[in-house]
Amino acid sequence: MDDKKVLFRIRDLKKYFPLKKRNPFQRETYNVRANENINLDIYEGETLGIVGESGCGKSTLGRTILQLYKPTSGTVEYFGDPANSHKPVPLHQLSVDQLRKYRRDMQLIFQDPYSSLNPRMTVGQILTEGLKAHNMLDKDPKKNQEYILSVMEQCGLAPYFIHRYPHQFSGGQRQRIGIARSVALNPKFIVADEPVSALDVSIQSQIINLLLDLKRDHGLTYMFISHDLSVIKYISDRVGVMYLGVVVELAVTEDLYAFPLHPYTEALLSAIPTTDADHKREIRTLEGDIPSPINPPSGCKFHTRCKYATEICKEVEPELVELRPQHFVACHHPLVDRKHALF
Amino acid sequence: MLKYVFKRILYMIFVFSVMSILLFILYNGIQGDPARAEIEPMKMKLEPAQYEQLYRETRARMGLDDPLVTRYTRWLGKTIRLDFGQSIRYQRPVIDVVKPPLQFTIKINIFAVIIGLAITIPLGIFTAVKKNSIFDKSVQVFTIIGYSIPVFITALLFMYFFAVRWRLLPLNGMETPNFKGTAAELRADQIRHLILPLIVMTVTSLASITRYVRAAMMEALSMDYIKTARAKGLKEKAVIFSHAWRNALLPVITLIIGWIMSIFSGAFIIESMFNLNGMGKLYIDSLYAKDFNVVLAVQLFYVLIALIGNLLVDLSYGVVDPRVRVNE
């Protein structure tokens, strides 16, 4: 993995959302701790899958990396600026105006294709606006039109769609518009925030294949956020598992799915339905609900639901350590010393 | 589009005729005899028999004994030619009675609307963008206060401070009585008389529209496409005005057109308090004086305004929102 170039280096990233004070006499403000101490490297050309339950901070992580949310603390460094000879650019320190230059390189695809497109703009306007903002438009309007049409074609949109409004399209087509919009800027990095979870299963595969094609043609790097383990397995090179704002396990996809080290990952994987009747496997259901991110459990955040939990889990927060090559886990009792009864 | 407008106009004609029938029947059912009202002054001078004779002649001349349908068609025919009959109170044609207050009401309200929009729209947008800031919160407090205080209290307060206490502006009326001076001085005097009612009109409309614009803007700003626009790397100005404001415009436009339509109906309370000769005052005064020809004309005018207003709202939807296709 040393030959791979790092594109983003994220260190100790925290994002808290302060809650409103319930009354003026309340002394401390409570925070929703959406992300805590995230350490992550994103390599150029990979697809990093992020998986976890609803509310575990996946989307927040994506948006905080893009600086759409200002991080509470921690650093996000970007290595993809050729003008800066690929030296790290500290995105977290830039002002909104300075960031605008880098927005072109890092784009976002939204989960909801219905609300993420401005209903008052035609497809052509939606696609051109970003180009205009980054002075990517040619003086010759014909060339611009050609470029837009070529992007639309790559994303599977017919040329005559250009003058239509978003409400005239189906969910899958709208998602294609959203993808075309981000690809038109020729970015290096795209955060795909659950891009397929609002779509029918038949359309999901089309969109995923489109994303893979675009990645191959444009040399993109993806951060693919999803709660769907099978989608993540199909598209990702590496997978990070999140629980309550923390990355609990991070590994190459095959490795993670074959040898999960964290009890939470194990429970998630065992919940994937299977059609294999010969090898019956135990389903390890998780007891209880996900604890509140306002007042998370001490120590290991998973200890309230973990059947292997001991005293140490309640007190000491486990570090993310590399237990196997390129396989990181944050657990006091990783599953290495147990037999892999699961698969 | 043309076909749609044509269809809507047909529909408007239908509604207007139904309304005219209803109003005509209603005002004919009201007690009072226009023939007797006309010859009343001569009652003392004539013998009872002569009086009776004259009364019958007058009734026949006015066509009061014809069947209702005949009377209605005759009235409608005149009305379409803008002949609304005589005003009993002023002994002049209705159209001449209505004209000056209508002109005055339109003039003062156009100013009120322009000033109002120039304040409320930027204020609403700004408070939505700076949501929960101290500025926003104080504006919220003021709009709630403005919303809750009745017009006549606001008017009295302004009159007390500006006209009585500080003597900056005239208290009421359209111009200084027996004003002597050149035409330009008279003009300036009239404008000075307009300032105070104009301020009160604007202030009372500020609160609701500011809140409305703020709410519409906040909803638009919370949408995902605003994040899309920011992620594209657009300038914040472009995000706010070309993305959020264009989407917030639709609910606001309904309100604004409704407001502009109210230009014509006038504001009775303000007109009465400042003793202005506007539409609202004319309407109520004519009702009290049982001057039904004037009332009927004013009422028909209101019906017409309401119908045109609705058509304008629907057409403007089509202009502002591409999702609304008005030709269907």
Side-chain angles (χ1 to χ4, degrees), chain A residues 113-123 125-126 163-169 174, chain B residues 216 219-220 223 225 243-252 314-328:
Chain A
Y114 291 92
S115 71
S116 58
L117 300 173
N118 190 334
R120 303 272 190 287
M121 295 177 118
T122 63
V123 174
Q125 287 169 330
I126 290 170
H163 294 303
R164 291 202 177 171
Y165 287 96
H167 69 275
Q168 294 167 299
F169 295 96
R174 282 163 159 248
Chain B
E219 201 198 320
M223 301 303 274
Y225 54 74
H243 285 260
W245 173 236
R246 266 179 73 191
N247 281 287
L249 200 56
L250 192 62
V252 172
D314 287 352
L315 290 180
S316 64
Y317 276 180
V319 175
V320 179
D321 190 348
R323 284 172 302 181
V324 180
R325 261 197 253 160
V326 287
N327 44 341
E328 270 156 30

Side-chain angles (χ1 to χ4, degrees), chain A residues 210-226:
Chain A
L210 170 65
L211 287 172
L212 288 175
D213 289 347
L214 289 171
K215 184 189 169 190
R216 190 192 57 217
D217 297 344
H218 294 265
L220 294 168
T221 307
Y222 284 141
M223 178 162 152
F224 194 96
I225 299 167
S226 181

